[in-house]
């Protein structure tokens, strides 16, 4: 688990062990999430205006029901400033992924997006399942290729054939769409990995159940002490230290998305990981579920 060759938060590479589990073949799709909402009446976080009391430092005109939507500029920008391509858009939610004038009528087989961690967990519990831990997710993503760079091997585009929905070109202003998709793609568009699981890499990031920690724990000193079913850090320590007034903890998300590019966010790998506040939803973040009880 992890990697010593890429971003610092992926290190150190270390041994872990997980019990058997069943992983959904695909991320949860709009069709599946629609069934959940119809059955339960669930209203997602992005569909409700936030309570200003929970965001004392927010500008009043930004307190509205909405979500973060990727809005590409048409020229090069400072890659340190993500506000150049992310827009908090009023009316954006899972039904309207690119704003109130958009819809999902032709996107039934695409991953649902604009879901917070609580939305994902609500679906999982309704389905009689759970969200994977980071270790479970990474184990499934590797598809049996222990230590391989990608979920399909060590070559990113073997034989010139794209294995995942990622960004081709200079992010965020030039997307050549050589893989055929500018945004999300239908589940099962690309080949499965060695475990028969689709879309673990690219397309949309996926929530896990683990609290964020900035690094992995090092290997156990003795083989007998290899962590079994490890969990992430603590809720308290998951807060962003650069935002000392923030009261929003963060979870680990995995897999990268269609916005991951060679010049920015090379996180289209099983070992890659990122922190996401639990109240944040975006146009490139979804989830999938697992079952640990031995039932398919």
């Amino acid at each position: 688990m992890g990697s010593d060759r890429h971003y610092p938060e992926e290190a150190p590479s270390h041994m872990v062990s997980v019990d058997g589990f069943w992983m959904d073949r695909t991320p949860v799709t709009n069709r599946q999430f629609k069934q959940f909402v119809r059955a339960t009446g669930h209203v997602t976080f992005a569909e409700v205006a936030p309570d200003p009391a929970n965001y004392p430092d927010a500008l009043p005109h930004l307190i509205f029901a909405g979500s973060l939507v990727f809005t590409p500029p048409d020229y090069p920008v400072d890659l340190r400033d993500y506000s150049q391509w992310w827009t908090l858009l009023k009316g954006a939610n899972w039904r309207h992924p690119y704003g109130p004038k958009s819809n999902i009528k032709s996107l039934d087989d695409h991953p649902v997006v604009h879901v917070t961690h609580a939305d994902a967990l609500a679906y999982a519990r309704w389905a009689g399942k759970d969200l994977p831990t980071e270790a479970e997710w990474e184990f499934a993503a590797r598809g049996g290729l222990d230590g391989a760079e990608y979920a399909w091997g060590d070559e990113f585009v073997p034989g010139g054939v794209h294995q995942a929905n990622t960004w081709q070109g200079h992010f965020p202003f030039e997307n050549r769409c050589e893989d055929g998709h500018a945004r999300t793609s239908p589940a099962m568009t690309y080949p499965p990995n060695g475990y028969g699981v689709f879309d673990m890499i690219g397309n949309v990031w996926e929530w896990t159940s683990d609290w964020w920690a900035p690094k992995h724990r090092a290997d156990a000193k003795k083989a007998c002490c290899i962590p079994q079913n490890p969990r992430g850090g603590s809720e308290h320590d998951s807060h962003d230290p650069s935002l000392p007034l923030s009261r929003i903890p963060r979870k680990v998300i995995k897999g990268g998305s269609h916005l991951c590019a060679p010049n920015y966010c090379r996180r289209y790998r099983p070992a890659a990981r990122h922190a996401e506040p639990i109240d944040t939803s975006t146009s490139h973040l979804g989830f999938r579920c697992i079952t640990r009880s031995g039932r398919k």
Side-chain angles (χ1 to χ4, degrees), residues 11 23 29 85 101-102 107 124 149 162 172 188 198 218 277 284 295:
M23 171 74 80
T29 63
W85 57 86
K101 294 183 179 180
S102 66
L107 303 177
E149 192 83 344
H162 290 279
M188 304 175 77
F198 295 82
H284 75 331
R295 294 180 289 109

Side-chain angles (χ1 to χ4, degrees), residues 1 133-134 208-217 230-239 249-252 273:
M1 184 176 177
T133 66
E134 182 179 2
T208 74
S209 60
D210 282 4
W211 296 112
W212 171 260
K215 291 182 74 69
H216 289 302
R217 295 176 183 173
R231 300 303 304 262
S234 69
E235 177 178 352
H236 178 270
D237 292 339
S238 74
H239 290 73
R250 299 179 295 170
K251 292 282 188 176
V252 177
R273 57 201 299 269

Side-chain angles (χ1 to χ4, degrees), residues 45-52 63-66:
F45 190 92
E47 296 173 273
V48 180
D51 182 349
I63 301 293
F64 54 74

Side-chain angles (χ1 to χ4, degrees), residues 17-18 20 45 56 89 102 111 115 136 154 177 181 190 217 219 226 238 262 264 269 285:
S17 178
V18 294
F45 190 92
L89 193 59
S102 66
V115 286
E136 289 167 334
D154 289 316
C177 299
H181 302 281
Y190 299 90
R217 295 176 183 173
D219 263 332
I226 291 174
S238 74
Y264 181 78
R269 296 168 289 101
L285 173 58

Side-chain angles (χ1 to χ4, degrees), residues 109-111 165 181 183-187 189-190 199 203:
D109 295 323
H110 288 236
N165 181 0
H181 302 281
R183 292 174 173 169
T184 59
S185 52
T189 294
Y190 299 90
D199 270 358
N203 209 2

Side-chain angles (χ1 to χ4, degrees), residues 1-13 142 145-150 153-154 266 269-271:
M1 184 176 177
S3 172
D4 296 320
R5 301 190 300 270
H6 297 282
Y7 295 102
E9 68 270 12
E10 299 173 26
S13 176
R142 291 186 178 278
L145 300 178
D146 189 20
E149 192 83 344
Y150 306 105
D154 289 316
R266 298 170 61 93
R269 296 168 289 101

Side-chain angles (χ1 to χ4, degrees), residues 21-25 132 136-137 140-141 197 200 288-291:
F21 59 91
W22 295 101
M23 171 74 80
D24 282 358
R25 286 182 177 270
E136 289 167 334
W137 192 100
V197 183
M200 296 296 286
R288 78 177 72 212
C289 302
I290 71 164
T291 300

Side-chain angles (χ1 to χ4, degrees), residues 32-51:
Q32 293 171 311
F33 200 77
K34 193 184 305 180
Q35 293 170 344
F36 159 64
V37 170
R38 286 173 177 170
T40 65
H42 181 83
V43 178
T44 63
F45 190 92
E47 296 173 273
V48 180
D51 182 349

